[in-house]
Amino acid sequence: MTRNDRTTPRTARVLGSLLLVLAAGVFTLGAAPAPPEAPVTPLDQVVPAPASVTPGGAPYRITRATAVRVDGSAGVRRVGAYLAGVLRPSTGYPLPLTEHGGGGIRLHLEKGGYGAEGYRLRSGPFGVTLTASAPAGLFHGVQTLRQLLPAAVEKRTVQRQDWRIAGGTVEDRPRYAYRGAMLDVARHFFTVAQVERYIDELALYKVNELHLHLSDDQGWRIAVNSWPRLARYGGASEVGGGKGGFYTRAEYRHLVSYAASRYVEVVPEIDLPGHTNAALASYAKLNCDGVAPPRYTGTEVGFSSLCVSKDVTYTFVNDVIKELAALTPGRYLHIGGDEAHSTSHADYVTFMDRVQPIVAKYGKKIIGWHQLTGAHPAQGALAQYWGLDSTSAAEKEQVAQAARNGTGLILSPADRVYLDMKYTKDTKLGLSWAGLVEVQRSYDWDPGAYLAGVPAAAVKGVEAPLWSETLTTSADIDYMAFPRLPGAAELGWSPAATHDWDTYKVRLAAQGPRWDALGIGYYRSPQVPWPSG
């Protein structure tokens, strides 16, 4: 058989196919074939659930001709550039930013009832318009738009997809102003790049607070110029005996700036007066007996305490808080206060009475674990509740009484939203002291009604902590956070009326392919109807 003989059948097939296309009237010289038309994601099938959805009308299709239209302000341009950066790799389209023209995807600020973070998304055949009162609202609207596109939009190479956004209107704003996640970088240290990755994951679900647990018995993770051994010596350890690490001032500033670019506020925590072995090991004078203990690489808690009676303790606290406050433009500074078992109650109250004014002096609002309610919470302080369903009625009432007296609450019940709790007894990572926390249990509770006797207005938000005793890699973080983190985010964002496990689990399941595209390895809970294949 000659070479021409071998190619003749293929040539005939190609010519036949072209004739069929020409007969249909859709052939354009030089154009790639259109991708297959895929189902359009309904406007109400995103996480967190929007406050209001009105479907209707034809969808909008993103094409090579689509532009991202922005108002002239720098904040809107930044959000537009972020959106284009998400869409360009997978679509292969140029998606230029422009202040002119019609159609396309428009980002627009206007005065209205959107609040600091709310937005409106309108989609129709001629374009999509995102409207908000502030850039943060536009950014959150971009996350909704992102989820309305096929999961392949998250890939970093060109995908052959039909990029359509369902027609209709989404009106959305958060239930709570504080929607947080905590990352423990003290038990095991995580690099700047690893924290940046987690920030991006939080932003996808409209989480707006990143609580960084920067100090504990096992390590001190932030450079303090006035007390340099804290990071240099106290930072050189972690659980299991690894090398640990710390953030330089420049690295910390970078993390704060990166988070701000995703409209996430960093909440730094220096845990006091307990959980302080790394500091005590670094400076002998912080110990009551003047003897520095060895560094600690275990996981037990409650054995360490600053010396409440020494004046140097408060010089130390003042210096650390002063420097950290100067590095942190956000509103909050977390002073810990939990598991101070080696501090007497009287000393604990004395310590908190002296430390809280220091935080206020440097312009920050105080957050403390809910044990702070056993002392005298300062005016405007927030208490972070991490108890269990089974926590004693007396302890819950102490928290409720503080709430009735004006202390705001952030809810982080450990047997609901501690992301380091094992899913089942067979989960290789994580702990189980608060019980096993499957996905439904993590989602199925109402922050507004969780603690009896707490006024609904006292609940300021929800936070999902991730402690790192057993976590060492980004893959570990992903596996324990997903799929529970989006549920905590929804509890913080969505109206109580949207809260329903049976509908949520379907929306959650649809996130699986998106996580696959993003390279997020997650726990495939049997409680969730994940797509087959």
Side-chain angles (χ1 to χ4, degrees), residues 227-304:
W227 297 75
R229 273 178 61 85
L230 289 172
R232 189 173 67 243
Y233 182 80
S237 59
E238 63 182 13
V239 167
K243 66 178 182 179
F246 67 91
Y247 306 116
T248 66
R249 294 164 66 88
E251 287 172 331
Y252 179 78
R253 282 195 186 99
H254 172 80
L255 275 176
V256 168
S257 177
Y258 188 87
S261 75
R262 271 60 176 163
Y263 295 89
V264 174
E265 180 180 48
V266 170
V267 180
E269 180 191 356
I270 301 297
D271 207 345
L272 305 166
H275 289 278
T276 47
N277 194 81
L280 298 171
S282 300
Y283 288 96
K285 62 185 176 181
L286 295 177
N287 296 269
C288 286
D289 61 4
V291 178
R295 287 179 293 205
Y296 181 67
T297 59
T299 60
E300 294 300 315
V301 299
F303 60 88
S304 61

Coordinates of all heavy atoms in Angstrom, one line a residue, residues 227-304:
W227 N 12.7 41.3 72.0 CA 13.0 40.0 72.6 C 13.4 39.0 71.6 O 12.6 38.1 71.2 CB 11.7 39.5 73.4 CG 11.3 40.5 74.5 CD1 10.7 41.7 74.4 CD2 11.5 40.2 75.9 NE1 10.5 42.2 75.6 CE2 10.9 41.3 76.6 CE3 12.0 39.2 76.7 CZ2 10.9 41.4 78.0 CZ3 12.0 39.3 78.1 CH2 11.5 40.4 78.7
P228 N 14.6 39.1 71.0 CA 15.0 38.4 69.8 C 15.1 36.9 70.0 O 14.9 36.1 69.1 CB 16.3 39.0 69.4 CG 16.9 39.6 70.7 CD 15.6 40.1 71.4
R229 N 15.3 36.4 71.3 CA 15.4 34.9 71.5 C 14.1 34.2 71.3 O 14.1 33.0 71.2 CB 16.1 34.6 72.8 CG 17.6 34.6 72.8 CD 18.2 34.3 74.2 NE 17.7 33.1 74.8 CZ 18.3 31.9 74.6 NH1 19.4 31.8 73.7 NH2 17.9 30.8 75.2
L230 N 13.0 35.0 71.4 CA 11.7 34.3 71.3 C 11.6 33.6 70.0 O 11.2 32.4 70.0 CB 10.6 35.4 71.3 CG 10.3 36.0 72.7 CD1 9.3 37.2 72.5 CD2 9.8 35.0 73.7
A231 N 12.0 34.2 68.9 CA 11.9 33.5 67.6 C 13.2 32.7 67.3 O 13.1 31.6 66.9 CB 11.7 34.6 66.5
R232 N 14.3 33.3 67.6 CA 15.6 32.6 67.3 C 15.7 31.3 68.0 O 16.1 30.3 67.4 CB 16.8 33.5 67.5 CG 18.1 33.0 67.0 CD 19.2 34.0 67.2 NE 19.5 34.3 68.6 CZ 19.4 35.4 69.2 NH1 18.9 36.5 68.5 NH2 19.7 35.6 70.5
Y233 N 15.4 31.3 69.3 CA 15.5 30.1 70.1 C 14.2 29.4 70.3 O 14.0 28.2 70.1 CB 16.1 30.4 71.5 CG 16.3 29.2 72.4 CD1 17.4 28.4 72.2 CD2 15.4 28.9 73.4 CE1 17.6 27.3 73.0 CE2 15.6 27.8 74.2 CZ 16.7 27.0 74.0 OH 16.9 25.9 74.8
G234 N 13.2 30.2 70.7 CA 11.9 29.6 71.0 C 11.2 29.1 69.7 O 10.3 28.3 69.8
G235 N 11.6 29.6 68.6 CA 11.0 29.2 67.3 C 11.6 28.0 66.7 O 11.1 27.4 65.7
A236 N 12.7 27.5 67.3 CA 13.5 26.4 66.7 C 13.1 25.1 67.2 O 13.9 24.2 67.4 CB 15.0 26.6 66.9
S237 N 11.8 24.9 67.3 CA 11.3 23.6 67.8 C 9.8 23.4 67.4 O 9.2 24.4 67.0 CB 11.4 23.4 69.3 OG 10.7 24.5 70.0
E238 N 9.3 22.2 67.4 CA 7.9 22.0 67.1 C 7.5 20.6 67.6 O 8.4 19.9 68.1 CB 7.6 22.1 65.6 CG 8.3 21.2 64.7 CD 8.0 21.4 63.2 OE1 7.5 22.5 62.9 OE2 8.4 20.6 62.4
V239 N 6.3 20.2 67.5 CA 5.9 18.9 67.9 C 6.7 17.8 67.2 O 6.9 17.9 66.0 CB 4.4 18.7 67.7 CG1 4.0 17.2 67.8 CG2 3.5 19.5 68.6
G240 N 7.2 16.9 67.9 CA 7.9 15.8 67.3 C 9.4 16.0 67.2 O 10.1 15.2 66.7
G241 N 9.8 17.3 67.5 CA 11.3 17.6 67.4 C 11.8 18.1 66.1 O 13.0 18.1 65.9
G242 N 10.9 18.6 65.2 CA 11.3 19.2 64.0 C 12.0 20.5 64.2 O 12.1 21.0 65.3
K243 N 12.5 21.1 63.1 CA 13.3 22.4 63.2 C 12.5 23.6 63.5 O 13.0 24.7 63.8 CB 14.1 22.6 61.9 CG 13.3 22.8 60.7 CD 14.2 23.1 59.5 CE 13.4 23.4 58.2 NZ 14.2 23.7 57.1
G244 N 11.2 23.5 63.3 CA 10.3 24.7 63.6 C 10.5 25.8 62.6 O 10.7 25.5 61.4
G245 N 10.5 27.0 63.0 CA 10.6 28.1 62.1 C 9.9 29.3 62.7 O 9.1 29.2 63.7
F246 N 10.0 30.5 62.0 CA 9.3 31.7 62.4 C 9.2 32.6 61.2 O 9.9 32.5 60.3 CB 10.0 32.3 63.6 CG 11.3 32.9 63.3 CD1 11.4 34.3 62.9 CD2 12.5 32.2 63.5 CE1 12.7 34.8 62.6 CE2 13.7 32.7 63.2 CZ 13.8 34.1 62.8
Y247 N 8.3 33.6 61.4 CA 8.1 34.6 60.3 C 9.0 35.8 60.7 O 8.9 36.3 61.8 CB 6.7 35.0 60.2 CG 5.7 33.8 59.9 CD1 4.8 33.5 60.8 CD2 5.9 33.1 58.8 CE1 3.9 32.4 60.6 CE2 5.0 32.0 58.6 CZ 4.1 31.7 59.5 OH 3.2 30.6 59.3
T248 N 9.8 36.3 59.8 CA 10.4 37.6 60.0 C 9.3 38.6 60.0 O 8.2 38.4 59.5 CB 11.5 37.8 58.9 OG1 10.8 38.0 57.6 CG2 12.5 36.7 58.8
R249 N 9.7 39.8 60.4 CA 8.7 40.9 60.3 C 8.3 41.2 58.9 O 7.1 41.4 58.6 CB 9.3 42.2 61.0 CG 9.6 42.0 62.5 CD 10.6 43.1 63.0 NE 10.0 44.4 62.9 CZ 9.2 45.0 63.9 NH1 9.0 44.3 65.0 NH2 8.8 46.2 63.8
A250 N 9.2 41.1 58.0 CA 8.9 41.3 56.6 C 7.9 40.2 56.0 O 7.0 40.5 55.3 CB 10.1 41.4 55.7
E251 N 8.2 39.0 56.4 CA 7.3 37.9 56.0 C 5.9 38.0 56.6 O 4.9 37.8 55.9 CB 7.9 36.5 56.4 CG 9.2 36.2 55.6 CD 9.9 34.9 56.1 OE1 9.8 34.7 57.4 OE2 10.5 34.2 55.3
Y252 N 5.9 38.4 57.8 CA 4.5 38.6 58.5 C 3.8 39.7 57.8 O 2.6 39.6 57.5 CB 4.7 38.9 60.0 CG 3.4 39.1 60.7 CD1 2.6 38.0 61.0 CD2 2.9 40.4 61.0 CE1 1.3 38.2 61.6 CE2 1.7 40.6 61.6 CZ 0.9 39.5 61.9 OH -0.3 39.7 62.5
R253 N 4.5 40.8 57.5 CA 3.8 41.9 56.8 C 3.3 41.5 55.4 O 2.2 41.8 55.0 CB 4.8 43.1 56.6 CG 5.0 44.0 57.8 CD 5.7 45.3 57.4 NE 6.1 46.1 58.6 CZ 7.3 46.2 59.1 NH1 8.2 45.4 58.6 NH2 7.5 46.9 60.1
H254 N 4.1 40.6 54.8 CA 3.7 40.1 53.5 C 2.4 39.3 53.6 O 1.5 39.4 52.8 CB 4.8 39.3 52.8 CG 4.4 38.5 51.6 ND1 4.3 39.1 50.4 CD2 4.0 37.3 51.4 CE1 3.9 38.3 49.5 NE2 3.6 37.1 50.1
L255 N 2.4 38.4 54.6 CA 1.2 37.6 54.8 C 0.0 38.5 55.1 O -1.1 38.2 54.5 CB 1.4 36.6 56.0 CG 2.1 35.3 55.7 CD1 2.3 34.5 57.0 CD2 1.3 34.5 54.7
V256 N 0.1 39.5 55.9 CA -1.0 40.4 56.2 C -1.4 41.1 54.9 O -2.6 41.2 54.6 CB -0.6 41.5 57.2 CG1 -1.6 42.6 57.3 CG2 -0.4 40.8 58.6
S257 N -0.5 41.5 54.0 CA -0.8 42.2 52.8 C -1.5 41.2 51.8 O -2.5 41.6 51.1 CB 0.4 42.8 52.2 OG 0.2 43.3 50.9
Y258 N -1.0 40.0 51.7 CA -1.6 39.0 50.8 C -3.0 38.7 51.3 O -3.9 38.6 50.4 CB -0.7 37.7 50.9 CG -1.2 36.7 49.8 CD1 -0.7 36.7 48.5 CD2 -2.1 35.7 50.1 CE1 -1.1 35.8 47.6 CE2 -2.5 34.8 49.2 CZ -2.0 34.9 47.9 OH -2.4 34.0 46.9
A259 N -3.2 38.5 52.6 CA -4.6 38.3 53.0 C -5.5 39.4 52.7 O -6.6 39.2 52.3 CB -4.5 38.0 54.6
A260 N -5.0 40.6 52.9 CA -5.8 41.8 52.6 C -6.2 41.9 51.1 O -7.3 42.3 50.8 CB -5.1 43.1 53.0
S261 N -5.4 41.4 50.2 CA -5.7 41.3 48.8 C -6.8 40.4 48.5 O -7.4 40.4 47.4 CB -4.5 41.0 48.0 OG -4.1 39.6 48.1
R262 N -7.1 39.5 49.4 CA -8.2 38.5 49.3 C -9.3 38.9 50.3 O -10.2 38.2 50.6 CB -7.8 37.1 49.7 CG -7.3 36.3 48.5 CD -6.1 36.9 47.8 NE -5.6 36.0 46.7 CZ -4.8 36.5 45.8 NH1 -4.4 37.7 45.7 NH2 -4.4 35.6 44.8
Y263 N -9.3 40.1 50.8 CA -10.3 40.7 51.8 C -10.4 39.8 53.0 O -11.5 39.6 53.5 CB -11.6 41.0 51.1 CG -11.4 42.1 50.1 CD1 -11.0 41.8 48.8 CD2 -11.5 43.4 50.4 CE1 -10.7 42.8 47.8 CE2 -11.2 44.4 49.5 CZ -10.8 44.1 48.2 OH -10.6 45.1 47.3
V264 N -9.3 39.3 53.5 CA -9.1 38.5 54.7 C -8.3 39.4 55.7 O -7.2 39.8 55.3 CB -8.5 37.2 54.4 CG1 -8.2 36.4 55.7 CG2 -9.4 36.3 53.5
E265 N -8.8 39.5 56.9 CA -8.1 40.2 57.9 C -7.3 39.2 58.8 O -7.9 38.2 59.3 CB -9.1 41.0 58.8 CG -8.6 41.8 59.9 CD -9.7 42.6 60.7 OE1 -10.7 41.9 61.0 OE2 -9.5 43.8 60.9
V266 N -6.1 39.5 59.1 CA -5.3 38.6 59.9 C -5.5 39.0 61.4 O -5.4 40.2 61.8 CB -3.8 38.7 59.6 CG1 -2.9 38.0 60.6 CG2 -3.5 38.1 58.2
V267 N -5.8 38.0 62.2 CA -6.0 38.1 63.7 C -4.8 37.4 64.3 O -4.9 36.1 64.4 CB -7.3 37.6 64.1 CG1 -7.5 37.8 65.7 CG2 -8.5 38.3 63.4
P268 N -3.8 38.1 64.8 CA -2.7 37.3 65.4 C -3.0 37.0 66.9 O -3.7 37.7 67.6 CB -1.5 38.4 65.4 CG -2.2 39.7 65.5 CD -3.6 39.5 64.8
E269 N -2.5 35.8 67.3 CA -2.7 35.4 68.7 C -1.4 35.1 69.3 O -0.6 34.3 68.8 CB -3.6 34.1 68.8 CG -3.8 33.7 70.2 CD -4.4 32.3 70.4 OE1 -4.8 31.7 69.3 OE2 -4.5 31.8 71.5
I270 N -1.2 35.7 70.5 CA -0.1 35.3 71.4 C -0.8 34.8 72.6 O -1.5 35.5 73.4 CB 0.7 36.5 71.8 CG1 1.4 37.2 70.6 CG2 1.8 36.1 72.8 CD1 2.3 36.2 69.8
D271 N -0.7 33.5 72.9 CA -1.5 32.8 73.9 C -0.9 33.1 75.3 O 0.3 32.8 75.5 CB -1.5 31.3 73.6 CG -2.8 30.6 74.2 OD1 -3.4 31.3 75.1 OD2 -3.1 29.5 73.9
L272 N -1.7 33.6 76.2 CA -1.2 34.0 77.5 C -2.3 33.7 78.6 O -3.4 33.6 78.2 CB -1.0 35.6 77.5 CG -0.1 36.2 76.5 CD1 -0.3 37.7 76.4 CD2 1.4 35.8 76.8
P273 N -1.9 33.5 79.8 CA -0.6 33.3 80.4 C 0.0 31.9 80.3 O 1.1 31.7 80.6 CB -0.8 33.7 81.9 CG -2.2 33.2 82.2 CD -3.0 33.5 80.9
G274 N -0.9 30.9 79.9 CA -0.5 29.6 79.7 C 0.0 29.4 78.3 O 0.0 30.3 77.5
H275 N 0.3 28.1 77.9 CA 0.7 27.8 76.6 C 2.0 28.7 76.2 O 2.1 29.2 75.1 CB -0.4 28.0 75.5 CG -1.5 27.0 75.6 ND1 -1.4 25.8 75.0 CD2 -2.7 27.1 76.2 CE1 -2.5 25.1 75.2 NE2 -3.3 25.9 75.9
T276 N 2.9 28.8 77.2 CA 4.0 29.8 77.0 C 5.4 29.2 77.2 O 6.3 29.9 77.4 CB 3.8 31.0 78.1 OG1 3.5 30.4 79.4 CG2 2.7 31.9 77.7
N277 N 5.5 27.9 77.1 CA 6.8 27.2 77.3 C 7.8 27.7 76.4 O 9.0 27.9 76.8 CB 6.7 25.7 77.3 CG 7.9 25.1 77.8 OD1 8.0 24.9 79.1 ND2 8.8 24.7 77.0
A278 N 7.5 28.0 75.1 CA 8.5 28.5 74.2 C 9.1 29.8 74.7 O 10.3 30.1 74.5 CB 7.9 28.6 72.8
A279 N 8.3 30.7 75.2 CA 8.8 32.0 75.7 C 9.6 31.8 77.0 O 10.6 32.4 77.2 CB 7.6 32.9 76.0
L280 N 9.1 30.9 77.9 CA 9.8 30.6 79.2 C 11.1 30.0 78.9 O 12.1 30.3 79.7 CB 8.9 29.7 80.0 CG 7.5 30.3 80.5 CD1 6.7 29.2 81.1 CD2 7.7 31.5 81.4
A281 N 11.2 29.1 77.9 CA 12.5 28.5 77.6 C 13.5 29.5 77.0 O 14.7 29.4 77.1 CB 12.3 27.4 76.6
S282 N 12.9 30.6 76.3 CA 13.8 31.6 75.7 C 14.4 32.5 76.7 O 15.5 33.0 76.5 CB 13.0 32.3 74.6 OG 12.5 31.4 73.6
Y283 N 13.7 32.9 77.7 CA 14.1 33.9 78.7 C 13.8 33.4 80.1 O 12.7 33.3 80.6 CB 13.4 35.2 78.5 CG 13.8 35.9 77.3 CD1 13.2 35.8 76.1 CD2 15.0 36.7 77.3 CE1 13.6 36.4 74.9 CE2 15.5 37.3 76.2 CZ 14.8 37.2 75.0 OH 15.2 37.8 73.8
A284 N 14.9 33.1 80.8 CA 14.8 32.6 82.2 C 14.1 33.5 83.1 O 13.3 33.1 84.0 CB 16.2 32.2 82.8
K285 N 14.3 34.8 82.9 CA 13.7 35.8 83.8 C 12.2 35.9 83.8 O 11.5 36.5 84.7 CB 14.2 37.2 83.5 CG 13.9 37.7 82.2 CD 14.7 39.1 82.0 CE 14.5 39.6 80.5 NZ 15.2 40.9 80.4
L286 N 11.5 35.2 82.8 CA 10.1 35.2 82.7 C 9.5 34.1 83.7 O 8.3 34.0 83.9 CB 9.6 34.9 81.3 CG 9.9 36.0 80.3 CD1 9.4 35.6 78.9 CD2 9.3 37.3 80.7
N287 N 10.4 33.2 84.2 CA 10.0 32.2 85.1 C 10.0 32.7 86.6 O 10.9 33.4 86.9 CB 10.9 31.0 84.9 CG 10.8 30.3 83.6 OD1 10.0 29.5 83.3 ND2 11.6 30.8 82.6
C288 N 9.1 32.2 87.4 CA 9.1 32.6 88.8 C 10.4 32.3 89.5 O 10.9 33.0 90.4 CB 7.9 32.0 89.5 SG 6.3 32.8 89.1
D289 N 11.0 31.1 89.2 CA 12.2 30.7 89.8 C 13.5 31.1 89.1 O 14.6 30.8 89.5 CB 12.2 29.2 90.0 CG 12.1 28.4 88.7 OD1 12.2 29.0 87.6 OD2 12.0 27.1 88.8
G290 N 13.3 31.8 88.0 CA 14.5 32.3 87.2 C 15.2 31.2 86.5 O 16.3 31.5 86.0
V291 N 14.6 30.1 86.3 CA 15.2 29.0 85.6 C 14.4 28.6 84.3 O 13.2 28.3 84.4 CB 15.3 27.7 86.5 CG1 16.0 26.5 85.7 CG2 16.1 28.0 87.8
A292 N 15.1 28.7 83.2 CA 14.4 28.4 81.9 C 14.2 26.9 81.8 O 15.2 26.1 81.9 CB 15.2 28.9 80.8
P293 N 13.0 26.4 81.4 CA 12.8 25.0 81.2 C 13.3 24.7 79.8 O 13.6 25.6 79.0 CB 11.2 24.9 81.2 CG 10.8 26.3 80.7 CD 11.8 27.3 81.3
P294 N 13.5 23.4 79.5 CA 13.9 23.0 78.1 C 12.7 23.3 77.2 O 11.6 23.4 77.6 CB 14.2 21.5 78.3 CG 13.4 21.1 79.5 CD 13.3 22.2 80.4
R295 N 13.1 23.4 75.9 CA 12.1 23.5 74.9 C 11.2 22.2 74.9 O 11.6 21.1 75.3 CB 12.7 23.7 73.5 CG 13.2 25.1 73.3 CD 13.9 25.4 72.0 NE 15.1 24.6 71.8 CZ 16.1 24.9 71.0 NH1 16.0 26.0 70.3 NH2 17.1 24.2 70.8
Y296 N 10.0 22.3 74.4 CA 9.0 21.3 74.5 C 8.5 20.8 73.1 O 8.2 21.7 72.3 CB 7.8 21.7 75.4 CG 6.7 20.7 75.6 CD1 7.0 19.6 76.4 CD2 5.5 20.9 75.0 CE1 6.0 18.6 76.6 CE2 4.5 19.9 75.3 CZ 4.8 18.8 76.1 OH 3.8 17.9 76.3
T297 N 8.4 19.5 72.9 CA 8.0 19.0 71.6 C 6.9 18.0 71.7 O 6.5 17.3 70.8 CB 9.2 18.4 70.9 OG1 9.7 17.3 71.6 CG2 10.3 19.4 70.6
G298 N 6.2 17.9 72.9 CA 5.1 17.1 73.1 C 3.8 17.7 72.8 O 3.8 18.8 72.2
T299 N 2.7 17.2 73.2 CA 1.4 17.7 72.9 C 0.5 17.9 74.2 O -0.7 18.3 74.0 CB 0.6 16.8 71.9 OG1 0.5 15.5 72.5 CG2 1.4 16.7 70.6
E300 N 1.0 17.6 75.4 CA 0.2 17.9 76.6 C 0.0 19.4 76.8 O 0.8 20.2 76.2 CB 0.9 17.2 77.8 CG 0.9 15.7 77.7 CD -0.4 15.1 77.7 OE1 -1.3 15.5 78.4 OE2 -0.6 14.2 76.8
V301 N -1.0 19.7 77.5 CA -1.3 21.2 77.7 C -1.5 21.5 79.2 O -1.7 20.6 80.0 CB -2.6 21.6 77.0 CG1 -2.5 21.3 75.5 CG2 -3.8 20.8 77.5
G302 N -1.4 22.8 79.5 CA -1.8 23.2 80.8 C -0.7 23.3 81.9 O -0.9 23.6 83.0
F303 N 0.6 23.0 81.5 CA 1.7 22.9 82.5 C 2.5 24.2 82.6 O 3.3 24.3 83.5 CB 2.6 21.8 82.1 CG 3.3 21.9 80.8 CD1 4.5 22.6 80.6 CD2 2.7 21.4 79.6 CE1 5.1 22.7 79.4 CE2 3.3 21.5 78.4 CZ 4.5 22.2 78.3
S304 N 2.3 25.1 81.7 CA 3.2 26.3 81.6 C 2.4 27.6 82.1 O 1.2 27.6 81.9 CB 3.8 26.5 80.2 OG 2.7 26.7 79.3

